[in-house]
Amino acid sequence: FHTNFPGGVEDGEAKLRTTIYTAKHAVVGKRPFSEFVSVDPSERKIREIEKEMMAAVARDAEGQFGMEVVDFGIKKLLLPQSVTTAIFESMKSAEEKKARQYTSEGDARANLILSEARATEERIMHMAVGHA
């Protein structure tokens, strides 16, 4: 350890952190966003991504530093604010489109009910006038 990290534990942590950062970008960069976040559970591949990242980190840590990586995981996903804003705007737009569709369908159904009620009213009034 002291041969590989003359600066001590801090030096070792810094080099390992760089190895993790490099592996993270290599793995994450080739994955579609839906493998991280999706309403369809079959699209999410977090465990596979963690295993791929761990394999890369473990290989480099063993080869470069003589360290054995025994566990590795993703604690949280952070996105740039611009990406987060774009995602929420897209979600908002999709929900607004659904709302407009439901409103339109409701209006059409209301118009049909009113038309049927008016037609029924006219038949009843016609029958009432004819029998009076």
Side-chain angles (χ1 to χ4, degrees):
F1 182 86
H2 295 288
T3 305
N4 286 324
F5 308 110
V9 173
E10 293 81 17
D11 188 28
E13 287 177 356
K15 288 182 180 178
L16 187 57
R17 203 172 281 114
T18 300
T19 300
I20 292 169
Y21 182 82
T22 301
K24 176 183 76 169
H25 284 279
V27 173
V28 170
K30 64 182 180 182
R31 298 291 189 139
F33 186 70
S34 61
E35 289 187 2
F36 296 92
V37 179
S38 177
V39 294
D40 181 358
S42 67
E43 288 185 2
R44 294 189 301 252
K45 308 282 188 228
I46 294 291
R47 297 296 170 244
E48 290 176 26
I49 293 166
E50 286 176 332
K51 287 178 184 176
E52 188 176 344
M53 289 171 68
M54 181 174 170
V57 170
R59 182 181 56 248
D60 290 349
E62 176 77 31
Q64 293 177 21
F65 314 126
M67 293 180 176
E68 178 186 6
V69 177
V70 294
D71 194 20
F72 187 90
I74 297 171
K75 290 195 301 187
K76 61 183 172 180
L77 297 173
L78 296 174
L79 299 171
Q81 183 61 41
S82 61
V83 172
T84 304
T85 301
I87 290 169
F88 282 120
E89 286 300 319
S90 176
M91 291 169 63
K92 180 181 172 184
S93 176
E95 293 304 312
E96 287 173 346
K97 182 179 178 182
K98 283 183 198 176
R100 285 191 301 273
Q101 179 183 347
Y102 294 145
T103 300
S104 177
E105 290 171 1
D107 289 345
R109 181 77 177 127
N111 287 334
L112 178 63
I113 291 168
L114 287 172
S115 294
E116 290 172 352
R118 286 186 190 115
T120 301
E121 176 189 29
E122 286 180 22
R123 280 195 305 275
I124 292 170
M125 293 302 289
H126 180 70
M127 290 173 67
V129 171
H131 290 344

